[in-house]
């Protein structure tokens, strides 16, 4: 659940990424639909999704990494983000903050049981923070100035 992910992040002196941070890390400088551009036919090189996952979660790191060395940003499991799910504010913004409240938390990346469109860098879904499922997971973001070397 999102609550479990938050508890782990706190234990690890880390946090869940915001929606904007997650997308920035996923894109790794790309402006296309995916970290590698727009060619959906290449998705299988980078992601476990409905067409190639054998109907289950796969070990992390078996597919190509994005340009910043991050694996499984597309597919495998949906990843919880810090933000509440909701409409974005109108206009362009840099590192936008999520909504102040809501009923669902944001999920990013798609998963092993979804089609390519759900795995796009910009796609986001939402679910109740108490939801648990076989296709949900998370990654943490380091918090500057914390960690074993700073205690």
């Amino acid at each position: 659940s999102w609550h479990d992910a938050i508890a782990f992040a706190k234990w690890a002196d880390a946090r869940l990424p915001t929606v904007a941070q997650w997308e920035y890390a996923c894109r790794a400088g790309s402006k296309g639909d995916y970290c590698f551009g727009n060619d959906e036919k290449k998705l299988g090189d980078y992601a476990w999704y409905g067409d190639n996952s054998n109907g289950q979660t796969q070990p992390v790191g078996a597919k190509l990494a994005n340009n910043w060395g991050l694996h499984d940003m597309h597919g495998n499991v949906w990843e919880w983000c810090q933000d509440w799910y909701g409409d974005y504010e109108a206009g362009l913004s840099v590192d936008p903050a999520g909504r102040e409240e809501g009923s669902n938390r944001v999920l990013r990346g798609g998963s092993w049981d979804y089609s390519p469109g759900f795995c796009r860098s910009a796609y986001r879904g939402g679910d109740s923070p108490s939801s648990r499922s076989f296709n949900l997971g998370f990654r943490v973001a380091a918090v500057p100035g914390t960690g074993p070397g700073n205690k």
Side-chain angles (χ1 to χ4, degrees):
S1 73
W2 181 87
H3 298 293
D4 296 331
I6 290 293
F8 178 88
K10 183 177 179 181
W11 172 84
D13 263 343
R15 60 177 174 73
L16 295 182
T18 66
V19 171
Q21 291 165 341
W22 189 97
E23 186 170 333
Y24 182 77
C26 178
R27 288 183 180 280
S30 169
K31 300 208 184 303
D33 289 342
Y34 304 95
C35 70
F36 51 85
N38 293 320
D39 187 356
E40 189 178 288
K41 293 176 183 149
K42 293 182 181 179
L43 184 60
D45 295 336
Y46 292 84
W48 296 109
Y49 66 105
D51 291 350
N52 70 352
S53 67
N54 199 28
Q56 61 188 11
T57 305
Q58 298 294 323
V60 173
K63 296 292 186 177
L64 294 175
N66 70 13
N67 288 335
W68 294 348
L70 301 172
H71 290 270
D72 297 288
M73 294 298 293
H74 302 290
N76 213 10
V77 294
W78 287 100
E79 296 182 9
W80 291 110
C81 290
Q82 183 66 41
D83 301 6
W84 290 106
Y85 184 84
D87 293 337
Y88 289 124
E89 290 189 24
L92 297 175
S93 61
V94 175
D95 197 16
R99 295 181 61 189
E100 294 288 326
E101 58 185 31
S103 57
N104 290 327
R105 293 289 184 168
V106 174
L107 292 162
R108 298 298 295 260
S111 100
W112 57 264
D113 60 340
Y114 278 76
S115 63
F118 291 97
C119 299
R120 292 179 298 111
S121 300
Y123 188 85
R124 63 194 176 100
D127 206 346
S128 167
S130 60
S131 290
R132 291 182 171 159
S133 181
F134 50 80
N135 66 350
L136 297 178
F138 64 96
R139 71 179 64 223
V140 296
V143 178
T146 64
N150 293 300
K151 290 187 177 183

